[in-house]
C-alpha cells in the first residue's frame, strides 16, 4: 500500500518509486527530500499509538456507542490516531462522554477536511485483545448479546486441518497457472468441507 501511495504521489513515476523501494529494502528506512515530503504531508498525517491508547479508544468507542458498536483493534488504532491528530470530535459534554463515531468527524486544523475511518475487521477475530481493552465482563456481555450470528456459526464448526501449499515448480510455469491450480484446490477444500 505504501508503494502505491508513492506511485500516485509521484504521478506514476515508476523508476523513482522503484529506487525508493530498493533503498527502503536495503536500509529499512526512506528519507524523502523536502519537496516530496511536503507533497505527501498535504494528504497524509500520521501518529504513533501505544497499546494503552488503542485499548482506551476501543473501550471509549464501545462505551459511547448507542448501538453497542465494538470496533476491532486495528480500527481502534485509527480512532486513537484521529483523536491524537485533532481530527476526531470528542463530545465531553455528552452524558455518556467519549468518542462518537456517528458524529461528523472534522479536522480542527482544516475544517474542510473530513476524516473517514473504515473498520478493517471484526472484533470477533481479536477476542484476547478486545477482552484486555474492555474487561472480561464487558466482552462476555457483548458476546452474549451482540456477537454476529454468522460469526458464531463459523466458530461452532469443527476446525479443518490446515492445507499446506507446495508449488511444483516443474509443472506450473506461470503465475496464471499457479493461481488456477490454487483456486481449484481451494474450491475443492471448501465444497468438500462446507458444501456448495
Amino acid at each position: 500500500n505504501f508503494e502505491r501511495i508513492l506511485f500516485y504521489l509521484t504521478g506514476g513515476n515508476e523508476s523513482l518509486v522503484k529506487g525508493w523501494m530498493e533503498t527502503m529494502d536495503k536500509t529499512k528506512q526512506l528519507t524523502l527530500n523536502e519537496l516530496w515530503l511536503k507533497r505527501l504531508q498535504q494528504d497524509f498525517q500520521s501518529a504513533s499509538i501505544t497499546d494503552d491508547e488503542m485499548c482506551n479508544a476501543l473501550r471509549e468507542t464501545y462505551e459511547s456507542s448507542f448501538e453497542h458498536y465494538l470496533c476491532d483493534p486495528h480500527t481502534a488504532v485509527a480512532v486513537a490516531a484521529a483523536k491524537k491528530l485533532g481530527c476526531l470530535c470528542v463530545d465531553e459534554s455528552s452524558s455518556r462522554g467519549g468518542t462518537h463515531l456517528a458524529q461528523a468527524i472534522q479536522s480542527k486544523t482544516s475544517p474542510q477536511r473530513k476524516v473517514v475511518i473504515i473498520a478493517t475487521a471484526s472484533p470477533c477475530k481479536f477476542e484476547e485483545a478486545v477482552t484486555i481493552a474492555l474487561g472480561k465482563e464487558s466482552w462476555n456481555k457483548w458476546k452474549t448479546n451482540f456477537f454476529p450470528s454468522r460469526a458464531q456459526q463459523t466458530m461452532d464448526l469443527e476446525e479443518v486441518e490446515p492445507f499446506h501449499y507446495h508449488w511444483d515448480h516443474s509443472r506450473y510455469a506461470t503465475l496464471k497457472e499457479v493461481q488456477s491450480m490454487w483456486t481449484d484446490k481451494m474450491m475443492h477444500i471448501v465444497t468438500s468441507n462446507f458444501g456448495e
Side-chain angles (χ1 to χ4, degrees), residues 9 30 34 41 68 85 97 119 126 131 135 138 150 162 191:
L9 173 74
L30 177 63
E34 191 174 345
Q41 289 172 333
H68 304 285
L85 293 168
F126 304 97
T131 301
S138 291
R150 288 187 66 195
T191 56

Side-chain angles (χ1 to χ4, degrees), residues 44-50 53 77-87:
F44 292 94
Q45 291 180 298
S46 65
S48 178
I49 302 302
T50 66
E53 290 170 318
V77 167
V79 170
K83 192 172 171 184
K84 186 179 265 189
L85 293 168
C87 300

Side-chain angles (χ1 to χ4, degrees), residues 26 28 39 101 106 111 121 132 136 147 156 162 194:
K26 288 177 191 167
K28 306 298 181 217
R39 287 188 61 192
L101 292 182
Q106 199 165 356
I132 290 168
K136 190 136 185 81
F147 200 86
D156 291 342
F194 305 106

